[in-house]
Amino acid sequence: MDSHGQYEQQVVWAVVDSGIGPLLLAATREGLVNVVFHATDAVRDHALGRLASRLGSEPVEDPDSPLLAEAIAQFEAYFAGERHDFELPLDWSLISGFNRQVLRELAAGVKFGHVVGYGDLARRVGQPGAAQAVGTAMGSNPLPIVVPCHRVVESDGGIGGFGGGLETKRQLLALEGVLPQPLF
């Protein structure tokens, strides 16, 4: 407990290697709370500072934490091509409102190897004119890969944007069989 008799939010993190570069995984007692692409030292430090500010607790590096063990194992299996679905408790506290509604629909309704358009996803949440807002929700996704914003594409066949970079999006879609693997 802190000095006010409140339980402090425990946040643990680790950087793991993946097929798309280092990922920072952070978890609370509620579940996985954040996944950050390209977790170089500078990116990691920025993300940890933001987590501390948002969650009110200094994240602690603990790659052996039971709070992270299953997430790490499932990410390894995903990138090895052995897992298609993540089955993890998620802490949704970094996102709210429309963005949370859209991301929950995405997580539940767009499976491995499939894609959905921004407008289609907007219609699924009862907001048919909100394709741009869906794009904003994708950009604010604190749990990429697990909540698969890489599976959201433009209705005209374009790949769309991606917070982890377009090459990372292409690699994830290729891993899932949606795009051909690059030749080189």
Side-chain angles (χ1 to χ4, degrees), residues 44-182:
R44 179 201 66 214
D45 292 346
H46 178 76
L48 293 173
R50 189 164 180 214
L51 274 174
S53 171
R54 300 274 313 272
L55 297 177
S57 177
E58 197 65 36
V60 175
E61 183 177 17
D62 189 357
D64 298 321
S65 170
L67 298 176
L68 287 169
E70 187 59 28
I72 291 170
Q74 288 190 28
F75 271 87
E76 288 173 354
Y78 172 82
F79 283 104
E82 300 165 357
R83 172 175 278 282
H84 293 171
D85 299 307
F86 288 91
E87 298 172 6
L88 297 168
L90 301 177
D91 179 337
W92 293 92
S93 63
L94 295 178
I95 194 115
S96 62
F98 177 78
N99 292 354
R100 182 187 288 192
Q101 180 185 10
V102 169
L103 292 172
R104 283 183 179 264
E105 173 60 32
L106 174 64
V110 183
K111 300 300 179 192
F112 183 96
H114 294 89
V115 294
V116 65
Y118 293 92
D120 293 333
L121 194 51
R123 281 188 285 285
R124 288 185 186 193
V125 297
Q127 300 289 327
Q132 277 190 311
V134 166
T136 299
M138 297 305 105
S140 67
N141 181 4
L143 296 162
I145 304 174
V146 177
V147 177
C149 52
H150 61 279
R151 297 180 188 153
V152 183
V153 297
E154 295 174 348
S155 60
D156 65 3
I159 196 167
F162 193 62
L166 292 182
E167 183 55 33
T168 299
K169 185 171 186 172
R170 282 187 191 94
Q171 289 176 305
L172 291 168
L173 291 172
L175 174 71
E176 296 189 8
V178 176
L179 291 177
Q181 290 284 353

Side-chain angles (χ1 to χ4, degrees), residues 8-28:
E8 287 188 35
Q9 174 77 288
Q10 180 185 10
V11 183
V12 294
W13 65 273
V15 173
V16 297
D17 289 325
S18 75
I20 56 170
L23 297 173
L24 180 139
L25 305 181
T28 67

